[in-house]
Amino acid sequence: QPLAWEPPYAGGSSPRKDFFVLLGFAHVPALRPPLAALFLPAFLLALLGDALIVLLPALDAGLRAPMYFFLRQLALVEMCFSLDVVPRLLGTLLRPGRGVSPAGCALQLLLVLSCVSSECFLLTAMAWDRYVAICRPLRYGAIVSPRLCHRLAAACWLAGAPVALVFTVWLFRFPFCGPRGIRHFFCDIAPLLSLVCADTRVFEDNVLVATVLVIMVPFCLIATSYAQILATVLQMPSARGRRKALSTCASHLIVVVLFYGTTGVIHLRPKASYSPESKQVVSLSYTLVTPMLNPLIYSLRNKEVKAALGQVCGIGQWIQL
């Protein structure tokens, strides 16, 4: 049964009955202003870091290799994801009780599903790029051509859109009953399903299948790529060569662990263990924390990115520390 909520209206008019209300962090109302003050700088840092990653290759010709091309695409996806989720999160914290139209909620869900899918596929493409660079170095230039990179990037951006559209339209065709309080800070499948008064078992089964295909299949491909990379690196006679090869993969591996460690916990957990409050905390990891950390991870562990940042921003000596 849908759970009733406490209408947190602060002197304003109630939202329309067919509107949804995001109840993000409603269980800790006193912490909402401090959380907004904490999340806003993190959001701005994430946007600034991703924007720098996107702009640097255009300003530095040394960062136009395929690896940095895919990194730019990843930064763009994370910018889209953050812009889709965080402004509404801040609005929910500062002005609780504002309604969200069904069309607005559906659009946010569509963009969330599309961005998560695109990030899964882009991380897979980046792992494949590192596999070719380390395991097939003599043929790298011939295999990973600019034309192929652009096609892969387009496929990563577009592949998740049809699935996201199907599930968004399917979910919003269900009847929603009772109070429409979404126990989350953005429109997601699980909290919306708790408001549906209809049999959703077929829908949930299909969501599980799609989740496994979109999240676990790319993860298995990434794991396979790195298993072959590791086997190749261990056969290198030079310790310096082994360190150099592994250093080009370290940043990507950290990002993969951060991304899959949070999305896997949320989307692959048994429904019986679902807790809206705990999901909000974990969701912050891949909606706010990871987009903020990724530019730092790639810049601090990559000499070329650090050098380019130093030239562009005039902080070369500080970055080299």
Side-chain angles (χ1 to χ4, degrees):
Q1 294 294 325
L3 297 175
W5 78 90
E6 221 178 90
Y9 311 127
S13 59
S14 301
R16 285 170 41 181
K17 291 185 178 180
D18 60 334
F19 276 34
F20 297 98
V21 176
L22 294 171
L23 303 177
F25 301 98
H27 58 294
V28 284
L31 292 180
R32 281 179 160 181
L35 287 175
L38 178 65
F39 295 162
L40 178 59
F43 171 57
L44 295 177
L45 282 174
L47 287 183
L48 176 61
D50 286 327
L52 284 174
I53 294 294
V54 172
L55 293 175
L56 280 178
L59 301 173
D60 190 327
L63 296 180
R64 293 176 185 171
M67 177 174 69
Y68 300 111
F69 172 77
F70 288 119
L71 179 56
R72 289 175 69 189
Q73 304 305 311
L74 183 66
L76 284 171
V77 168
E78 291 186 339
M79 286 180 68
C80 293
F81 190 54
S82 297
L83 288 169
D84 180 40
V85 173
V86 181
R88 187 158 284 170
L89 164 61
L90 296 174
T92 300
L93 293 173
L94 296 174
R95 297 186 62 186
R98 295 183 64 190
V100 181
S101 69
C105 191
L107 179 60
Q108 185 180 51
L109 176 61
L110 175 65
L111 292 174
V112 165
L113 297 178
S114 298
C115 288
V116 170
S117 302
S118 296
E119 185 154 355
C120 289
F121 299 141
L122 278 171
L123 290 173
T124 307
M126 294 172 76
W128 172 78
D129 170 73
R130 292 299 83 206
Y131 161 76
V132 178
I134 294 173
C135 300
R136 301 287 187 273
L138 298 179
R139 300 190 58 200
Y140 180 75
I143 296 174
V144 190
S145 64
R147 184 177 182 182
L148 179 59
C149 289
H150 284 87
R151 287 182 174 181
L152 280 175
C156 291
W157 277 94
L158 298 175
V163 177
L165 181 61
V166 167
F167 284 110
T168 300
V169 173
W170 190 354
L171 177 57
F172 277 84
R173 288 178 65 88
F174 285 118
F176 294 96
C177 309
R180 294 195 174 192
I182 299 175
R183 298 176 66 186
H184 207 357
F185 56 82
F186 66 91
C187 296
D188 201 4
I189 289 179
L192 282 168
L193 276 177
S194 67
L195 307 180
V196 173
C197 50
D199 187 355
T200 61
R201 285 175 294 181
V202 175
F203 176 83
E204 292 175 38
D205 291 341
N206 280 273
V207 168
L208 179 60
V209 172
T211 300
V212 170
L213 291 176
V214 171
I215 294 181
M216 293 311 299
V217 171
F219 178 78
C220 292
L221 292 174
I222 293 171
T224 301
S225 297
Y226 276 106
Q228 297 186 51
I229 288 172
L230 182 61
T232 301
V233 168
L234 292 177
Q235 294 175 4
M236 293 180 177
S238 168
R240 182 179 179 183
R242 290 195 294 269
R243 286 195 301 270
K244 184 177 180 180
L246 290 175
S247 67
T248 65
C249 304
S251 300
H252 181 250
L253 272 175
I254 295 172
V255 172
V256 168
V257 170
L258 286 173
F259 178 76
Y260 278 98
T262 53
T263 55
V265 165
I266 290 177
H267 296 291
L268 298 176
R269 288 174 64 186
K271 189 177 179 181
S273 64
Y274 170 72
S275 167
E277 288 73 24
S278 63
K279 182 172 181 178
Q280 290 181 55
V281 175
V282 178
S283 296
L284 282 174
S285 299
Y286 72 90
T287 59
L288 192 63
V289 178
T290 301
M292 180 184 66
L293 292 179
N294 284 355
L296 293 175
I297 292 169
Y298 278 109
S299 62
L300 294 177
R301 298 190 61 88
N302 189 291
K303 293 181 180 179
E304 289 82 3
V305 174
K306 286 195 292 185
L309 280 171
Q311 293 175 6
V312 172
C313 303
I315 53 175
Q317 293 182 352
W318 180 82
I319 293 177
Q320 297 299 328
L321 296 178

